[in-house]
Structures are given as structure tokens and as C-alpha cells.
Amino acid sequence: ACERGKGWEACRGWCVEDAPFACQAETLEGVTTLAGYCDWMRGLIEAVPDGRYEMKVHGPGADGASWIAYAVFKGTLRGEDGAEKAIAADYVYAMTFADGKVAGMTKIWNDKAG
């Protein structure tokens, strides 16, 4: 639901209410909760309506309470002038869980990559 731009309302049932979010990318500076990130993704999908992800690798962490997912986000960015630009960005999610819900997430992403 998050990657498809459904926003926090569609995601909240799978997450701890105040789950923290972290990312060192400038683009996401100031986004500190999973709720904020889910809503940011909704805005991204509005700008990249054909946005989609291609999952490369995912699996549980050794501790049994975490999960790692590596994917590539792809789509066509439409600028204000109507120009289109194909985009592809690798990223990794490192998630922790509590009581079967996402309790926190870190996004590892270089938003400056070509």
C-alpha cells in the first residue's frame, strides 16, 4: 500500500501508530514517522503515476524481529513543463516489527544518484 501511494490511512493497520522513520536522503529531510513517509509516497505517485517497484531481494534479519527489502523504484517523472523523464532508483528498507506490525523503518537511498 505504501509503495503504491495509498497513504497512511491505507497502511496504518499494518503499522505501530507512532512508528519512526529515518532516511539520510535530503529529499526526505524532516520526515520522521512512518505515517509521514506513507503520505510522502502518495505525493510521489501523484508525480510519477506509473511508479512501481521491482523487488530484488527480501528476507528476515537474523534477530527474527527485522526484515530487509531491496528494490528498484521505476517510473516516468512528469515535470511542470510537461517534459517526461524516466527514473530508476535503488533503495533498501530495514524494518523492525513488534506484535506483527511495522514498528520502525529506515530507508537507505541515495537521492543524488544519476
Side-chain angles (χ1 to χ4, degrees):
C2 179
E3 296 297 286
R4 290 186 175 89
K6 302 298 182 187
W8 177 244
E9 288 307 313
C11 297
R12 74 182 322 142
W14 293 294
C15 305
V16 171
E17 189 63 30
D18 295 322
F21 172 82
C23 185
Q24 293 177 336
E26 262 182 54
T27 303
L28 290 166
E29 189 174 348
V31 178
T32 60
T33 64
L34 200 47
Y37 179 68
C38 290
D39 287 340
W40 180 86
M41 280 297 298
R42 182 177 53 210
L44 177 62
I45 295 300
E46 288 172 4
V48 185
D50 66 341
R52 63 206 176 278
Y53 66 93
E54 179 182 321
M55 186 63 64
K56 297 291 188 175
V57 177
H58 63 91
D63 62 4
S66 60
W67 193 270
I68 299 290
Y70 160 49
V72 179
F73 182 86
K74 297 179 178 182
T76 307
L77 181 63
R78 288 168 179 80
E80 290 180 19
D81 62 357
E84 295 184 350
K85 177 184 176 185
I87 58 172
D90 294 72
Y91 63 97
V92 174
Y93 286 149
M95 298 168 278
T96 56
F97 288 81
D99 298 323
K101 293 186 174 193
V102 179
M105 186 167 80
T106 298
K107 182 173 187 170
I108 303 159
W109 171 47
N110 178 1
D111 63 347
K112 300 298 182 206

